[in-house]
Amino acid sequence: MAQQPPPPYNPPPSAQPPYNPPPYNPPPPSVQPPYTPPPQSNWVPPVVGPAPGVAYASGGSRLVAYIVDAVVTWILIVVVSLVLGTVMAAGATANSGAVAGTSALVWFLAIFVIWLGYFPWFWAHGGATPGMKMLHIRVVREIDGGPMSGGQAILRLIGYWISSFIFYLGFIWILIDAHKQGWHDKIANTVVIESR
């Protein structure tokens, strides 16, 4: 007897009719406007200060403080020059070359110390020169707002020379920098803040 092929598979009837989705009807073109990207904004929030409640000192107050300090420095130099000049003159009239020579050396050293030491000493001892104190501003470390070290004060003085070397561009930089730092501030990692 020849074998017969098995009957074709017929699945059992389902209780649920097959799903037929409704036809897709897109909305009319007037309902949905074409995509336009949001407008680009170049607005950057202003930088007020290094910490809440602390503001960077303005370029104008820093300039006035520097002028006051320059005047104080020159007054100190004139007073030292008058005192030691008198001693040198007295030594010269007394035919004492040793007194005149020593006075000249002391005068040179005094001018050198005043010129090199004025700014770093005040920056490292309180963070403000007399001119800065008069305008209620002070210089602090950029990273944490603490007082400057002596090394930072010397670096900042070297930065003063560098800032003034090319048409005072390093000082003008204060006007365009977000943190109001000149090149000398960037070199020493310092900022000048209001201390009211």
Side-chain angles (χ1 to χ4, degrees):
M1 190 156 108
Q3 285 202 350
Q4 294 185 359
Y9 175 74
N10 289 327
S14 163
Q16 183 178 2
Y19 174 72
N20 289 325
Y24 175 70
N25 294 324
S30 63
V31 174
Q32 184 178 6
Y35 173 77
T36 55
Q40 295 296 322
S41 173
N42 292 334
W43 182 80
V44 177
V47 178
V48 177
V54 179
Y56 293 115
S58 70
S61 62
R62 293 176 69 169
L63 176 62
V64 172
Y66 180 77
I67 292 170
V68 168
D69 289 324
V71 169
V72 169
T73 304
W74 283 108
I75 289 172
L76 287 172
I77 289 173
V78 166
V79 168
V80 167
S81 296
L82 288 174
V83 170
L84 293 177
T86 305
V87 171
M88 281 189 286
T93 55
N95 289 330
S96 175
V99 172
T102 303
S103 297
L105 179 63
V106 169
W107 174 80
F108 176 76
L109 290 175
I111 300 302
F112 186 74
V113 167
I114 291 170
W115 189 67
L116 284 181
Y118 177 85
F119 287 100
W121 191 86
F122 281 111
W123 290 334
H125 295 89
T129 60
M132 294 172 88
K133 286 179 184 175
M134 188 174 97
L135 290 157
H136 306 287
I137 60 176
R138 64 188 167 103
V139 61
V140 295
R141 287 191 308 246
E142 179 182 24
I143 192 164
D144 61 0
M148 294 174 61
S149 67
Q152 279 182 304
I154 291 169
L155 271 176
R156 196 165 192 268
L157 180 66
I158 293 168
Y160 256 45
W161 299 331
I162 293 169
S163 292
S164 63
F165 187 66
I166 305 171
F167 304 112
Y168 291 92
L169 188 59
F171 292 107
I172 295 169
W173 200 263
I174 294 167
L175 302 174
I176 60 172
D177 189 76
H179 296 207
K180 299 191 185 320
Q181 287 180 298
W183 292 352
H184 50 286
D185 292 312
K186 292 189 180 295
I187 289 169
N189 293 321
T190 58
V191 291
V192 179
I193 60 170
E194 294 180 358
S195 61
R196 295 175 195 239

PDB file of all heavy atoms in Angstrom, residues 8 24 56 59 65-66 74 81 90 95 102 105 110 112 122 147 156 163 166 175 184 193:
ATOM      1  N   PRO A   8      -2.753  18.955   4.567  1.00  0.00           N
ATOM      2  CA  PRO A   8      -2.155  20.271   4.841  1.00  0.00           C
ATOM      3  C   PRO A   8      -2.580  20.784   6.209  1.00  0.00           C
ATOM      4  O   PRO A   8      -3.662  20.494   6.679  1.00  0.00           O
ATOM      5  CB  PRO A   8      -2.670  21.149   3.718  1.00  0.00           C
ATOM      6  CG  PRO A   8      -3.852  20.464   3.158  1.00  0.00           C
ATOM      7  CD  PRO A   8      -3.705  19.002   3.473  1.00  0.00           C
ATOM      8  N   TYR A  24      -3.629  55.649   6.916  1.00  0.00           N
ATOM      9  CA  TYR A  24      -2.983  56.867   7.435  1.00  0.00           C
ATOM     10  C   TYR A  24      -3.431  58.063   6.608  1.00  0.00           C
ATOM     11  O   TYR A  24      -3.308  58.076   5.394  1.00  0.00           O
ATOM     12  CB  TYR A  24      -1.458  56.732   7.372  1.00  0.00           C
ATOM     13  CG  TYR A  24      -0.749  57.996   7.780  1.00  0.00           C
ATOM     14  CD1 TYR A  24      -0.757  58.421   9.109  1.00  0.00           C
ATOM     15  CD2 TYR A  24      -0.078  58.765   6.846  1.00  0.00           C
ATOM     16  CE1 TYR A  24      -0.105  59.578   9.477  1.00  0.00           C
ATOM     17  CE2 TYR A  24       0.573  59.927   7.217  1.00  0.00           C
ATOM     18  CZ  TYR A  24       0.555  60.335   8.536  1.00  0.00           C
ATOM     19  OH  TYR A  24       1.191  61.484   8.900  1.00  0.00           O
ATOM     20  N   TYR A  56      34.967  91.739  40.842  1.00  0.00           N
ATOM     21  CA  TYR A  56      36.289  92.118  40.357  1.00  0.00           C
ATOM     22  C   TYR A  56      36.395  93.644  40.356  1.00  0.00           C
ATOM     23  O   TYR A  56      35.424  94.345  40.090  1.00  0.00           O
ATOM     24  CB  TYR A  56      36.519  91.600  38.939  1.00  0.00           C
ATOM     25  CG  TYR A  56      36.608  90.099  38.847  1.00  0.00           C
ATOM     26  CD1 TYR A  56      35.657  89.377  38.149  1.00  0.00           C
ATOM     27  CD2 TYR A  56      37.644  89.407  39.453  1.00  0.00           C
ATOM     28  CE1 TYR A  56      35.734  88.001  38.056  1.00  0.00           C
ATOM     29  CE2 TYR A  56      37.732  88.036  39.369  1.00  0.00           C
ATOM     30  CZ  TYR A  56      36.773  87.337  38.670  1.00  0.00           C
ATOM     31  OH  TYR A  56      36.852  85.978  38.588  1.00  0.00           O
ATOM     32  N   GLY A  59      38.795  98.472  35.940  1.00  0.00           N
ATOM     33  CA  GLY A  59      40.057  98.977  35.408  1.00  0.00           C
ATOM     34  C   GLY A  59      40.336 100.401  35.857  1.00  0.00           C
ATOM     35  O   GLY A  59      41.479 100.773  36.117  1.00  0.00           O
ATOM     36  N   ALA A  65      44.442 103.735  41.599  1.00  0.00           N
ATOM     37  CA  ALA A  65      45.276 103.206  42.686  1.00  0.00           C
ATOM     38  C   ALA A  65      46.750 103.183  42.272  1.00  0.00           C
ATOM     39  O   ALA A  65      47.630 103.532  43.065  1.00  0.00           O
ATOM     40  CB  ALA A  65      44.810 101.802  43.064  1.00  0.00           C
ATOM     41  N   TYR A  66      47.024 102.806  41.035  1.00  0.00           N
ATOM     42  CA  TYR A  66      48.407 102.777  40.550  1.00  0.00           C
ATOM     43  C   TYR A  66      48.997 104.187  40.517  1.00  0.00           C
ATOM     44  O   TYR A  66      50.160 104.380  40.890  1.00  0.00           O
ATOM     45  CB  TYR A  66      48.478 102.124  39.161  1.00  0.00           C
ATOM     46  CG  TYR A  66      49.875 102.072  38.620  1.00  0.00           C
ATOM     47  CD1 TYR A  66      50.780 101.127  39.093  1.00  0.00           C
ATOM     48  CD2 TYR A  66      50.318 102.985  37.674  1.00  0.00           C
ATOM     49  CE1 TYR A  66      52.082 101.083  38.613  1.00  0.00           C
ATOM     50  CE2 TYR A  66      51.613 102.949  37.185  1.00  0.00           C
ATOM     51  CZ  TYR A  66      52.490 101.996  37.658  1.00  0.00           C
ATOM     52  OH  TYR A  66      53.777 101.964  37.198  1.00  0.00           O
ATOM     53  N   TRP A  74      57.277 108.088  44.417  1.00  0.00           N
ATOM     54  CA  TRP A  74      58.147 109.212  44.061  1.00  0.00           C
ATOM     55  C   TRP A  74      58.370 110.134  45.254  1.00  0.00           C
ATOM     56  O   TRP A  74      59.473 110.663  45.422  1.00  0.00           O
ATOM     57  CB  TRP A  74      57.603 109.975  42.856  1.00  0.00           C
ATOM     58  CG  TRP A  74      57.895 109.226  41.594  1.00  0.00           C
ATOM     59  CD1 TRP A  74      57.016 108.558  40.805  1.00  0.00           C
ATOM     60  CD2 TRP A  74      59.185 109.030  41.011  1.00  0.00           C
ATOM     61  NE1 TRP A  74      57.667 107.953  39.770  1.00  0.00           N
ATOM     62  CE2 TRP A  74      59.007 108.225  39.862  1.00  0.00           C
ATOM     63  CE3 TRP A  74      60.470 109.439  41.339  1.00  0.00           C
ATOM     64  CZ2 TRP A  74      60.056 107.838  39.048  1.00  0.00           C
ATOM     65  CZ3 TRP A  74      61.517 109.047  40.521  1.00  0.00           C
ATOM     66  CH2 TRP A  74      61.310 108.258  39.386  1.00  0.00           C
ATOM     67  N   SER A  81      66.199 110.996  48.797  1.00  0.00           N
ATOM     68  CA  SER A  81      67.227 111.713  48.032  1.00  0.00           C
ATOM     69  C   SER A  81      67.627 113.005  48.735  1.00  0.00           C
ATOM     70  O   SER A  81      68.820 113.357  48.771  1.00  0.00           O
ATOM     71  CB  SER A  81      66.714 112.025  46.623  1.00  0.00           C
ATOM     72  OG  SER A  81      66.477 110.834  45.921  1.00  0.00           O
ATOM     73  N   ALA A  90      77.355 117.364  52.762  1.00  0.00           N
ATOM     74  CA  ALA A  90      78.148 117.658  53.963  1.00  0.00           C
ATOM     75  C   ALA A  90      79.471 116.903  53.915  1.00  0.00           C
ATOM     76  O   ALA A  90      80.518 117.435  54.307  1.00  0.00           O
ATOM     77  CB  ALA A  90      77.362 117.276  55.215  1.00  0.00           C
ATOM     78  N   ASN A  95      85.475 117.529  52.873  1.00  0.00           N
ATOM     79  CA  ASN A  95      86.565 116.801  52.210  1.00  0.00           C
ATOM     80  C   ASN A  95      86.655 115.356  52.680  1.00  0.00           C
ATOM     81  O   ASN A  95      87.735 114.812  52.836  1.00  0.00           O
ATOM     82  CB  ASN A  95      87.912 117.505  52.396  1.00  0.00           C
ATOM     83  CG  ASN A  95      87.977 118.778  51.588  1.00  0.00           C
ATOM     84  OD1 ASN A  95      87.349 118.883  50.531  1.00  0.00           O
ATOM     85  ND2 ASN A  95      88.747 119.745  52.078  1.00  0.00           N
ATOM     86  N   THR A 102      79.920 106.650  50.681  1.00  0.00           N
ATOM     87  CA  THR A 102      79.003 105.773  51.411  1.00  0.00           C
ATOM     88  C   THR A 102      77.575 106.275  51.273  1.00  0.00           C
ATOM     89  O   THR A 102      76.641 105.490  51.082  1.00  0.00           O
ATOM     90  CB  THR A 102      79.407 105.698  52.898  1.00  0.00           C
ATOM     91  OG1 THR A 102      80.763 105.253  52.986  1.00  0.00           O
ATOM     92  CG2 THR A 102      78.507 104.759  53.656  1.00  0.00           C
ATOM     93  N   LEU A 105      76.244 105.353  47.902  1.00  0.00           N
ATOM     94  CA  LEU A 105      75.901 103.937  47.837  1.00  0.00           C
ATOM     95  C   LEU A 105      74.596 103.656  48.581  1.00  0.00           C
ATOM     96  O   LEU A 105      73.724 102.936  48.083  1.00  0.00           O
ATOM     97  CB  LEU A 105      77.044 103.094  48.419  1.00  0.00           C
ATOM     98  CG  LEU A 105      76.815 101.585  48.433  1.00  0.00           C
ATOM     99  CD1 LEU A 105      76.668 101.059  47.009  1.00  0.00           C
ATOM    100  CD2 LEU A 105      77.944 100.872  49.161  1.00  0.00           C
ATOM    101  N   ALA A 110      68.865 102.537  48.655  1.00  0.00           N
ATOM    102  CA  ALA A 110      67.543 102.938  49.152  1.00  0.00           C
ATOM    103  C   ALA A 110      66.560 103.126  47.995  1.00  0.00           C
ATOM    104  O   ALA A 110      65.411 102.674  48.062  1.00  0.00           O
ATOM    105  CB  ALA A 110      67.654 104.218  49.976  1.00  0.00           C
ATOM    106  N   PHE A 112      66.756 101.729  45.067  1.00  0.00           N
ATOM    107  CA  PHE A 112      66.543 100.402  44.506  1.00  0.00           C
ATOM    108  C   PHE A 112      65.520  99.622  45.335  1.00  0.00           C
ATOM    109  O   PHE A 112      64.596  99.002  44.797  1.00  0.00           O
ATOM    110  CB  PHE A 112      67.891  99.667  44.449  1.00  0.00           C
ATOM    111  CG  PHE A 112      67.835  98.346  43.753  1.00  0.00           C
ATOM    112  CD1 PHE A 112      67.728  98.264  42.376  1.00  0.00           C
ATOM    113  CD2 PHE A 112      67.897  97.166  44.488  1.00  0.00           C
ATOM    114  CE1 PHE A 112      67.679  97.037  41.733  1.00  0.00           C
ATOM    115  CE2 PHE A 112      67.852  95.942  43.848  1.00  0.00           C
ATOM    116  CZ  PHE A 112      67.746  95.883  42.471  1.00  0.00           C
ATOM    117  N   PHE A 122      53.749  95.385  49.953  1.00  0.00           N
ATOM    118  CA  PHE A 122      52.347  95.643  50.307  1.00  0.00           C
ATOM    119  C   PHE A 122      51.426  94.530  49.799  1.00  0.00           C
ATOM    120  O   PHE A 122      50.461  94.163  50.472  1.00  0.00           O
ATOM    121  CB  PHE A 122      51.885  96.995  49.755  1.00  0.00           C
ATOM    122  CG  PHE A 122      52.341  98.159  50.598  1.00  0.00           C
ATOM    123  CD1 PHE A 122      53.288  99.045  50.113  1.00  0.00           C
ATOM    124  CD2 PHE A 122      51.834  98.371  51.867  1.00  0.00           C
ATOM    125  CE1 PHE A 122      53.714 100.118  50.876  1.00  0.00           C
ATOM    126  CE2 PHE A 122      52.251  99.436  52.647  1.00  0.00           C
ATOM    127  CZ  PHE A 122      53.198 100.319  52.151  1.00  0.00           C
ATOM    128  N   PRO A 147      45.401  85.203  50.587  1.00  0.00           N
ATOM    129  CA  PRO A 147      46.472  86.200  50.428  1.00  0.00           C
ATOM    130  C   PRO A 147      47.599  85.668  49.544  1.00  0.00           C
ATOM    131  O   PRO A 147      47.848  84.471  49.476  1.00  0.00           O
ATOM    132  CB  PRO A 147      46.956  86.435  51.862  1.00  0.00           C
ATOM    133  CG  PRO A 147      46.498  85.262  52.640  1.00  0.00           C
ATOM    134  CD  PRO A 147      45.286  84.710  51.957  1.00  0.00           C
ATOM    135  N   ARG A 156      54.342  88.995  40.236  1.00  0.00           N
ATOM    136  CA  ARG A 156      53.419  90.032  39.785  1.00  0.00           C
ATOM    137  C   ARG A 156      54.175  91.300  39.409  1.00  0.00           C
ATOM    138  O   ARG A 156      53.834  91.976  38.437  1.00  0.00           O
ATOM    139  CB  ARG A 156      52.382  90.322  40.877  1.00  0.00           C
ATOM    140  CG  ARG A 156      51.182  91.081  40.381  1.00  0.00           C
ATOM    141  CD  ARG A 156      50.051  91.010  41.416  1.00  0.00           C
ATOM    142  NE  ARG A 156      48.821  91.480  40.823  1.00  0.00           N
ATOM    143  CZ  ARG A 156      48.389  92.737  40.875  1.00  0.00           C
ATOM    144  NH1 ARG A 156      49.106  93.636  41.524  1.00  0.00           N
ATOM    145  NH2 ARG A 156      47.265  93.091  40.297  1.00  0.00           N
ATOM    146  N   SER A 163      53.935  93.627  31.310  1.00  0.00           N
ATOM    147  CA  SER A 163      52.689  94.265  30.875  1.00  0.00           C
ATOM    148  C   SER A 163      52.932  95.634  30.258  1.00  0.00           C
ATOM    149  O   SER A 163      52.207  96.057  29.356  1.00  0.00           O
ATOM    150  CB  SER A 163      51.727  94.415  32.054  1.00  0.00           C
ATOM    151  OG  SER A 163      51.268  93.166  32.489  1.00  0.00           O
ATOM    152  N   ILE A 166      55.153  96.291  25.968  1.00  0.00           N
ATOM    153  CA  ILE A 166      54.630  96.480  24.609  1.00  0.00           C
ATOM    154  C   ILE A 166      53.430  97.430  24.688  1.00  0.00           C
ATOM    155  O   ILE A 166      52.280  97.003  24.761  1.00  0.00           O
ATOM    156  CB  ILE A 166      54.222  95.144  23.974  1.00  0.00           C
ATOM    157  CG1 ILE A 166      55.388  94.168  24.003  1.00  0.00           C
ATOM    158  CG2 ILE A 166      53.720  95.346  22.551  1.00  0.00           C
ATOM    159  CD1 ILE A 166      55.037  92.760  23.605  1.00  0.00           C
ATOM    160  N   LEU A 175      40.806  95.512  30.483  1.00  0.00           N
ATOM    161  CA  LEU A 175      39.518  96.000  29.990  1.00  0.00           C
ATOM    162  C   LEU A 175      38.752  94.956  29.179  1.00  0.00           C
ATOM    163  O   LEU A 175      37.533  95.058  29.051  1.00  0.00           O
ATOM    164  CB  LEU A 175      39.727  97.256  29.139  1.00  0.00           C
ATOM    165  CG  LEU A 175      40.430  98.417  29.844  1.00  0.00           C
ATOM    166  CD1 LEU A 175      40.704  99.545  28.871  1.00  0.00           C
ATOM    167  CD2 LEU A 175      39.610  98.894  31.035  1.00  0.00           C
ATOM    168  N   HIS A 184      50.104  90.690  34.167  1.00  0.00           N
ATOM    169  CA  HIS A 184      50.786  90.487  35.442  1.00  0.00           C
ATOM    170  C   HIS A 184      49.951  89.615  36.378  1.00  0.00           C
ATOM    171  O   HIS A 184      50.495  88.823  37.137  1.00  0.00           O
ATOM    172  CB  HIS A 184      51.127  91.831  36.086  1.00  0.00           C
ATOM    173  CG  HIS A 184      49.975  92.774  36.150  1.00  0.00           C
ATOM    174  ND1 HIS A 184      49.499  93.431  35.030  1.00  0.00           N
ATOM    175  CD2 HIS A 184      49.190  93.166  37.176  1.00  0.00           C
ATOM    176  CE1 HIS A 184      48.477  94.197  35.384  1.00  0.00           C
ATOM    177  NE2 HIS A 184      48.270  94.038  36.667  1.00  0.00           N
ATOM    178  N   ILE A 193      40.145  92.344  43.504  1.00  0.00           N
ATOM    179  CA  ILE A 193      38.726  92.359  43.863  1.00  0.00           C
ATOM    180  C   ILE A 193      38.402  93.597  44.674  1.00  0.00           C
ATOM    181  O   ILE A 193      39.297  94.230  45.226  1.00  0.00           O
ATOM    182  CB  ILE A 193      38.333  91.098  44.648  1.00  0.00           C
ATOM    183  CG1 ILE A 193      39.145  90.991  45.942  1.00  0.00           C
ATOM    184  CG2 ILE A 193      38.500  89.849  43.803  1.00  0.00           C
ATOM    185  CD1 ILE A 193      38.666  89.912  46.897  1.00  0.00           C
TER     186      ILE A 193
END
